[in-house]
Amino acid sequence: MDTKQRARRADPEETLKLWRAYKRTGDERLRDRLVLTHAPMVKYIVYRKLREIPARCDVEDFISCGLEALIRSIDRYDPEKGSTLEQFAWTRIHGAVLDELRHNDWAPRSLRRWERDINRAHHGFTTLQGRAPTKGELSAAVGISVAQLAKHQADLSRSDVGSLNMLVLSDDETAIERIDTLPSYDTDSDPEFAAARESAKERFRSAFERLPERDRKVAVLLYVDNLTLREIGNVLAITESRVCQIHHELKRRIREELSADEDLFQAVA
């Protein structure tokens, strides 16, 4: 971390004293203090990984994931194992953010390893030779055939999600948006699909109405009003970590409520 980050670090002895008080009393207000003390670490880890977060994903989701990992770390921390709470939480938060990245990455991990190997070889060759390698030189540097290199690069290209509004060339060499090159599948004109979609909406509404009032309010503020977790905490007069807990719990309840209808929701997604 840089100087400012180090300056904001909590004193390990004070943190341990606060953690012991929380474990002794079970007072959630003490846990919230621990969460607030270490919350900047969550944002630091997430923003370090920002370049790897897919454009379609919301950074707030990764921060929420990191805060959930922080809360779990506080509950599972064991000072007898020799690490400070900060060290223990750092490892767990970093792992949770990586897992979330992998969950949102459509490419398998093996393909990402090839991507790193190819990029490393390309960079090394360019540094030594002062020019970009040919396909033959690059494949030799990676230790695979030209055909294998082409296959991996094609797989990587397909794994990258681009905007449908990106301009591409049409058959008559004019620039059009990519969405205009796709075939149209008008599902709205399919009565069976329309009925399934309405059924899915109704089941979701029913499951949502069974949530506690505060859970519903958090969901509306987050997904309809597009407020951040901190802004929601200010509106409801609770801590950001408590909003994170409520958000995690309502997602779990919704998933459980709709688990029997998973095939229906996949069909109309």
Side-chain angles (χ1 to χ4, degrees), residues 23-265:
K23 296 302 287 187
R24 185 176 63 255
T25 63
D27 188 343
E28 290 193 357
R29 290 174 298 180
L30 296 177
R31 184 178 64 180
D32 288 341
R33 284 176 58 189
L34 288 167
V35 171
L36 289 173
T37 298
H38 293 87
M41 180 171 62
V42 174
K43 293 186 177 180
Y44 178 81
I45 292 172
V46 170
Y47 281 102
R48 278 186 64 189
K49 308 296 291 182
L50 188 60
R51 291 183 180 179
E52 300 176 36
I53 295 177
R56 66 182 182 279
C57 298
D58 190 340
V59 174
E60 287 292 333
D61 289 340
F62 286 85
I63 292 177
S64 175
C65 168
L67 285 171
E68 290 172 9
L70 173 59
I71 293 169
R72 291 193 298 270
S73 299
I74 292 171
D75 289 332
R76 297 175 184 176
Y77 174 58
D78 182 0
E80 299 302 320
K81 294 186 177 180
S83 63
T84 65
L85 176 58
E86 181 183 29
Q87 291 167 339
F88 181 76
W90 176 282
T91 302
R92 296 301 183 277
I93 294 166
H94 190 264
V97 171
L98 285 179
D99 287 343
E100 188 70 9
L101 276 170
R102 290 166 184 155
H103 176 73
N104 283 279
D105 189 356
W106 296 354
R109 294 171 66 180
S110 59
L111 183 58
R112 290 305 178 199
R113 283 195 293 270
W114 278 116
E115 181 179 34
R116 288 193 295 271
D117 291 344
I118 292 170
N119 289 340
R120 192 180 300 117
H122 191 285
H123 177 73
F125 185 96
T126 303
T127 301
L128 289 173
Q129 304 297 329
R131 63 176 177 84
T134 64
K135 289 187 179 297
E137 290 167 335
L138 182 57
S139 63
V142 179
I144 57 178
S145 68
V146 174
Q148 288 173 315
L149 174 66
K151 180 181 182 303
H152 291 316
Q153 289 178 324
D155 290 342
L156 286 166
S157 179
R158 284 193 295 270
S159 73
D160 290 333
V161 180
S163 171
L164 290 176
N165 298 117
M166 182 184 296
L167 293 178
V168 296
L169 289 178
S170 65
D171 293 337
D172 60 359
E173 299 298 315
T174 58
I176 60 173
E177 292 186 351
R178 177 178 290 172
I179 193 172
D180 293 328
T181 68
L182 302 178
S184 174
Y185 300 99
D186 187 10
T187 53
D188 290 337
S189 62
D190 182 349
E192 183 176 350
F193 180 88
R197 183 172 58 188
E198 286 305 312
S199 176
K201 287 181 179 179
E202 186 56 38
R203 295 185 193 192
F204 180 83
R205 290 192 197 99
S206 179
F208 186 78
E209 287 299 322
R210 287 193 291 272
L211 290 175
E213 182 179 356
R214 185 162 61 171
D215 290 24
R216 297 198 304 271
K217 192 161 188 177
V218 167
V220 170
L221 291 172
L222 183 62
Y223 295 109
V224 178
D225 297 335
N226 294 318
L227 298 187
T228 65
L229 298 176
R230 174 172 293 181
E231 289 169 339
I232 294 172
N234 293 335
V235 171
L236 300 181
I238 56 178
T239 64
E240 184 177 356
S241 63
R242 183 58 184 145
V243 176
C244 176
Q245 288 177 282
I246 295 172
H247 180 221
H248 178 75
E249 185 63 17
L250 74 86
K251 289 194 297 183
R252 183 189 64 78
R253 288 177 177 171
I254 286 290
R255 280 196 296 266
E256 289 180 355
E257 287 274 350
L258 302 177
S259 59
D261 301 312
E262 183 177 354
D263 291 341
L264 171 63
F265 280 88

